Amino acid sequence: MGRGRHAGYDEQREMILAHAAALFARGGYPGTSMNQVAEACGLSKATLYHYYRDKYALLVSIAEGHVTRLQGIVDEALAEEATPAGRMRMLIRRLVEEYASAQNEHRVLTEDVKFLDAPDRERILGKEREVVAAFARVVAALRPDLQEAAMSKPLTMLLFGMVNWMFTWMKPEGPLAYDDMAPVVTDLFLGGLQAVQAPLRTATVD
């Protein structure tokens, strides 16, 4: 009989993925070694291989895990809200919340997916396309008059452009938090600049 997983096995795997994602995001997938991952985790290389067979398995788990969480966000938002506007507000809020704590994973998904073998890359990018398509359907429901002009996907990609790269300029010590920015992004997307309301706790920015 094979040995069962010890208590904390899944937590250890998640810890390893978090450290690997940080290393991949900082130095790139090709420039990161399993030795570096093991050192960052405080593990021996032999112990690391007990959890992941190689660096490629780490890349697949990071990219697929991230996009699978995004799929879950979409499913939950669509189930919780009935109106297109309510769904869009929920989708944006949940997306911003996820990216606030998954910056490394998002960078790996966007920059290192090209190193995946074709079947893995197509499966993961297929899930990403499903996320985009779900947002586009909500956009189409909000502006059905634009469907003939095929604007739903371009507008969706503009929205993702606002959210995806927020972490490149947001500073933890700055006057705004991710929780503040979610309604700002939503108001800007749904109503234009004139619809944006300042967060109540916003400090003055020079």
Side-chain angles (χ1 to χ4, degrees), residues 43-62:
L43 302 173
S44 68
K45 197 172 178 181
T47 300
L48 178 60
Y49 281 121
H50 174 67
Y51 292 94
Y52 292 96
R53 68 179 185 275
D54 53 25
K55 188 173 71 166
Y56 183 82
L58 287 170
L59 177 60
V60 172
S61 294
I62 293 166

Side-chain angles (χ1 to χ4, degrees), residues 14 43 54 56 61 82 84 93 111 116 126 130 165 167:
E14 290 303 313
L43 302 173
D54 53 25
Y56 183 82
S61 294
R93 181 174 69 80
E111 297 184 6
L116 292 170
E130 289 176 7
W165 302 108
F167 68 86

Side-chain angles (χ1 to χ4, degrees), residues 37-114:
V37 176
E39 182 178 354
C41 295
L43 302 173
S44 68
K45 197 172 178 181
T47 300
L48 178 60
Y49 281 121
H50 174 67
Y51 292 94
Y52 292 96
R53 68 179 185 275
D54 53 25
K55 188 173 71 166
Y56 183 82
L58 287 170
L59 177 60
V60 172
S61 294
I62 293 166
E64 189 155 26
H66 179 55
V67 76
T68 299
R69 285 190 296 274
L70 296 181
Q71 286 183 306
I73 285 172
V74 168
D75 292 343
E76 290 172 8
L78 297 182
E80 291 176 15
E81 295 289 339
T83 68
R87 286 179 167 180
M88 183 56 71
R89 287 188 178 277
M90 179 65 74
L91 283 168
I92 293 174
R93 181 174 69 80
R94 292 294 308 281
L95 193 69
V96 171
E97 287 174 353
E98 173 65 18
Y99 282 2
S101 59
Q103 298 170 11
N104 294 326
E105 290 80 0
H106 177 64
R107 190 181 289 274
V108 171
L109 178 63
T110 56
E111 297 184 6
D112 291 332
V113 70
K114 61 181 176 287

